Amino acid sequence: MKLRATLLFAVVLGGVAAVVAPARIAAAEPDSQITILYDAFGSDAAMKKDWGFSALVEISGKRILFDTGNDPDIFATNIKAKGVDLTSIDFVVLSHRHSDHMAGLNHVLSVNPTVKIYAPREGFGIYGSSLPSSFYRKDDSLPPAMRYYDGRPPEVMKFGTAWQGANIELIDKTTEIAPGITLLALVSDTPGTKELKELSLAINTADGIVLVVGCAHPGIEKIVEAATAINPRIRLIAGGFHLVVASDEIIAKAVAALKETFKVENIAPGHCTGEPTFAALKQAYGDRYLYAGVGTSLPLAPGTGSVGRRGEGPALQEDDLATYRKLARREDPFGILRARQRMRHSNL
């Protein structure tokens, strides 16, 4: 009986240890940085502007190309302007199937044809896929010439990719692909992009999560929430937040969630975030709003409270903030702070 109790205690203790075990950390070395290679705004005269997104993430000894922009020729020009060696990247992440995030892959493969590429798994998509042949109804009464595969289909039907022969690995769930480096796999529930699968890059450093997003179709709040499951401290978010046509109310709600609910420390929005959202985030974050136009490098030096900046863009003009100010004047537009106060009082 005593032995059984001892064994039970060991099992329980082991389970607790597994739960509380810290997530793996990706080291942020002194030269760690994110470089924006593709976007429609920026102050670097050597870079071409175009709608789309790409960033080079250099951290923990890894060089990760996140998305590849909208046009292979513009992408190639910007790669050359920044002196990026595509033969030495460790892997590519394609966040989702929209062309303004993946058209430059043709140029990448022309330089580095065997590079590892991570892309979202879809039932039937441009990255390639497969389905069991049982997915379609069969009719044994038909003659073989009228039946698919003469009535003898393969057990698994494989569908082609736009990049035949490319080293593509499809991701269908949140996956740690290297120590401290995780791909968050989420699905959009928004009308217009419903069921669109998207990958975001979460890097767990000693100073918190560095989160790189492509378009945030599943919702920037949902992506951040998924990242907090790895580490509740979100050090930086860079990329597109998909608020380019959002109303002032939706923008204010997103800003409040990032700043007040998730306590995101630094923000570096780009691409489809939208000009009114740039203004709103600049107002909310002050000097922790990091300009991230094409050509900008965002140093990720370890042990600093605020992410460093290079390639600072021009300051926002006063009238750029007008759309947000009417909401920003209200200290707690969505009642988040009031709710917290009520919870504190109820616990007293």
Side-chain angles (χ1 to χ4, degrees):
M1 187 72 172
K2 187 174 181 181
L3 176 60
R4 184 181 300 173
T6 303
L7 289 173
L8 179 61
F9 177 76
V11 169
V12 171
L13 186 62
V16 170
V19 171
V20 300
R24 292 200 282 182
I25 300 292
E29 298 162 352
D31 57 351
S32 297
Q33 62 181 355
I34 299 173
T35 302
I36 308 302
L37 299 174
Y38 209 105
D39 214 322
F41 73 102
S43 58
D44 189 332
M47 308 288 281
K48 288 191 174 182
K49 301 179 185 68
D50 185 40
W51 191 267
F53 187 71
S54 177
L56 178 66
V57 182
E58 297 172 280
I59 195 166
S60 190
K62 299 290 186 184
R63 301 179 75 247
I64 306 162
L65 183 62
F66 186 90
D67 284 342
T68 62
N70 180 62
D71 181 286
D73 293 332
I74 294 175
F75 178 74
T77 296
N78 290 351
I79 288 289
K80 183 177 180 181
K82 296 304 291 185
V84 175
D85 180 9
L86 292 175
T87 65
S88 66
I89 57 176
D90 290 281
F91 53 86
V92 179
V93 176
L94 297 178
S95 63
H96 63 292
R97 65 175 182 250
H98 288 167
S99 61
D100 57 332
H101 291 256
M102 63 183 188
L105 185 60
N106 290 328
H107 176 68
V108 177
L109 292 173
S110 73
V111 176
N112 191 348
T114 61
V115 67
K116 183 65 170 286
I117 301 162
Y118 293 100
R121 180 185 298 277
E122 298 180 325
F124 197 88
I126 194 169
Y127 305 121
S129 57
S130 61
L131 287 173
S133 58
S134 58
F135 88 91
Y136 70 88
R137 293 179 60 200
K138 298 169 178 63
D139 190 334
D140 294 337
S141 69
L142 290 172
M146 291 182 65
R147 301 191 65 192
Y148 302 128
Y149 302 98
D150 297 321
R152 297 186 300 275
E155 187 174 336
V156 176
M157 298 169 58
K158 295 183 179 180
F159 305 100
T161 169
W163 300 279
Q164 193 66 34
N167 182 16
I168 298 176
E169 181 175 336
L170 301 178
I171 302 294
D172 60 359
K173 61 183 179 181
T174 292
T175 304
E176 187 180 45
I177 55 175
I181 300 175
T182 300
L183 294 178
L184 305 175
L186 296 173
V187 182
S188 172
D189 195 37
T190 305
T193 60
K194 196 172 179 66
E195 297 184 359
L196 177 71
K197 297 184 178 181
E198 184 164 341
L199 302 179
S200 302
L201 179 66
I203 304 159
N204 190 23
T205 76
D207 294 317
I209 294 285
V210 172
L211 182 61
V212 185
V213 295
C215 255
H217 289 290
I220 188 62
E221 297 100 323
K222 289 183 180 179
I223 295 172
V224 175
E225 184 178 21
T228 61
I230 301 170
N231 186 339
R233 182 181 177 187
I234 307 297
R235 182 187 181 195
L236 169 69
I237 307 175
F241 298 179
H242 206 253
L243 296 166
V244 69
V245 297
S247 67
D248 290 346
E249 289 73 21
I250 290 174
I251 292 170
K253 183 178 180 181
V255 172
L258 295 176
K259 191 166 189 286
E260 303 297 338
T261 304
F262 295 110
K263 305 293 185 184
V264 175
E265 296 175 12
N266 300 277
I267 209 91
H271 184 43
C272 59
T273 302
E275 293 178 7
T277 314
F278 291 158
L281 289 166
K282 177 69 173 174
Q283 173 78 3
Y285 274 86
D287 63 2
R288 288 182 178 267
Y289 177 100
L290 310 179
Y291 180 78
V294 63
T296 302
S297 291
L298 306 170
L300 303 173
T304 56
S306 180
V307 178
R309 282 175 284 181
R310 273 186 271 159
E312 178 69 42
L316 291 174
Q317 297 300 312
E318 193 70 19
D319 57 358
D320 289 333
L321 300 173
T323 57
Y324 183 63
R325 276 184 172 157
K326 64 181 181 182
L327 292 165
R329 287 191 196 102
R330 285 181 277 170
E331 190 171 301
D332 186 21
F334 294 97
I336 293 173
L337 297 179
R338 291 193 298 275
R340 285 183 175 174
Q341 288 170 352
R342 286 196 298 270
M343 288 178 65
R344 278 200 297 268
H345 289 314
S346 65
N347 291 329
L348 292 177

